[in-house]
């Protein structure tokens, strides 16, 4: 997969290294000469250019990208990059980084953003995850599909403790995508049983989030 990342700051470089380690092709774009340093992310391609300019994106051959990540520290830049990638180059998937919470509502399909990643929201979610069991934590939003990635840590008094995944009647518009247990990532096979302390990751519509919480942790979320 070919990925273009606009913004070669700490966030952009970290994401680039992860993608390279997983075997993907990565191009980093930044207009600051001081940010262009091939030694910091070996294996990546680099382009000194303004990602908000159409000519720069043409030079990057963005039409050949599978994913564009707008990861700069400027929300306006991230919106423009996402919009140009989607409308001018028909990039299949765009990911937009939100730096300021008040701008989160702008990162929508109208601006070409498929996946919104809000740094403040993620930090808040991680704090909530660390101190709560049975509460649903929204990690991020898929704007194009109007769904969210949410997490719930299964309490030890859940009525579904020990039950097979395939025997649970999940709400509509809800998909259990992973179970995190003892530092392992488990696939939610129908025969796998649920254990107390499991971190359950769901993709769900916003309307179904409360139903998930009431299903798995009714004591914390009475109807």
């Amino acid at each position: 997969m070919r990925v273009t990342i606009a913004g070669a700051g700490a966030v952009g470089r970290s994401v680039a290294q992860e993608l390279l380690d997983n075997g993907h092709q990565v191009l980093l774009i930044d207009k600051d000469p001081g940010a262009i340093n091939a030694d910091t992310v070996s294996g990546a391609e680099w382009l000194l250019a303004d990602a908000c300019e159409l000519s720069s994106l043409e030079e990057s051959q963005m039409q050949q990208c599978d994913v564009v990540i707008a990861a700069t520290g400027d929300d306006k830049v991230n919106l423009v990059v996402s919009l140009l990638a989607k409308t001018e180059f028909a990039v299949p998937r765009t990911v937009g980084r939100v730096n300021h919470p008040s701008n989160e509502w702008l990162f929508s399909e109208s601006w070409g953003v498929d996946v919104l990643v809000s740094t403040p929201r993620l930090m808040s979610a991680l704090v909530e995850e660390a101190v709560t069991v049975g509460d649903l934590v929204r990690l991020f939003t898929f704007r194009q599909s109007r769904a969210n990635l949410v997490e719930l840590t299964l309490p030890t008094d859940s009525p579904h403790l020990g039950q097979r995944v395939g025997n649970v009647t999940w709400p509509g518009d809800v998909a259990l995508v992973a179970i995190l247990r003892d530092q392992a990532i488990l696939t939610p096979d129908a025969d796998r049983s649920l254990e107390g302390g499991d971190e359950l990751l769901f993709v769900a519509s916003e309307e179904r989030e409360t139903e998930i919480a009431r299903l798995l942790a009714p004591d914390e979320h009475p109807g």
Side-chain angles (χ1 to χ4, degrees), residues 69-214:
I69 302 174
T72 78
D74 189 323
D75 287 344
K76 296 187 293 297
V77 171
N78 293 341
L79 285 170
V80 171
V81 170
S82 299
L83 183 62
L84 290 176
K86 184 65 71 174
T87 59
E88 298 296 328
F89 299 94
V91 174
R93 196 160 189 78
T94 59
V95 179
R97 173 192 176 191
V98 183
N99 297 278
H100 198 289
S102 65
N103 294 329
E104 191 171 312
W105 67 276
L106 288 166
F107 284 71
S108 65
E109 188 177 344
S110 299
W111 277 93
V113 179
D114 294 324
V115 179
L116 156 73
V117 180
S118 172
T119 303
R121 176 182 286 185
L122 281 173
M123 292 179 68
S124 173
L126 289 171
V127 170
E128 291 182 39
E129 180 185 4
V131 299
T132 59
V133 173
D135 283 347
L136 201 72
V137 178
R138 186 185 298 173
L139 299 178
F140 63 82
T141 300
F142 301 96
R143 289 298 190 190
Q144 193 173 43
S145 59
R146 302 186 185 281
N148 301 314
L149 178 68
V150 298
E151 182 268 351
L152 183 142
T153 299
L154 194 69
T156 54
D157 60 352
S158 171
H160 295 285
L161 204 68
Q163 193 166 0
R164 293 168 62 249
V165 170
N167 290 341
V168 179
T169 303
W170 303 106
D173 294 330
V174 170
L176 176 62
V177 295
I179 300 173
L180 309 183
R181 179 187 301 163
D182 297 330
Q183 298 183 335
I185 302 173
L186 307 177
T187 56
D189 302 325
D191 290 332
R192 194 178 300 281
S193 61
L194 300 175
E195 298 182 4
D198 282 352
E199 293 181 59
L200 307 179
L201 295 179
F202 297 91
V203 174
S205 62
E206 184 174 352
E207 295 78 12
R208 301 297 188 182
E209 292 180 1
T210 301
E211 294 181 40
I212 297 172
R214 288 176 178 168

Side-chain angles (χ1 to χ4, degrees), residues 62-76:
M62 184 162 283
Q63 69 276 6
Q64 298 180 11
C65 288
D66 300 293
V67 180
V68 167
I69 302 174
T72 78
D74 189 323
D75 287 344
K76 296 187 293 297

Side-chain angles (χ1 to χ4, degrees), residues 13-24 26 41:
R13 293 196 305 272
S14 296
V15 173
Q17 190 60 63
E18 286 285 335
L19 291 169
L20 287 166
D21 290 344
N22 289 324
H24 301 295
V26 177
V41 186

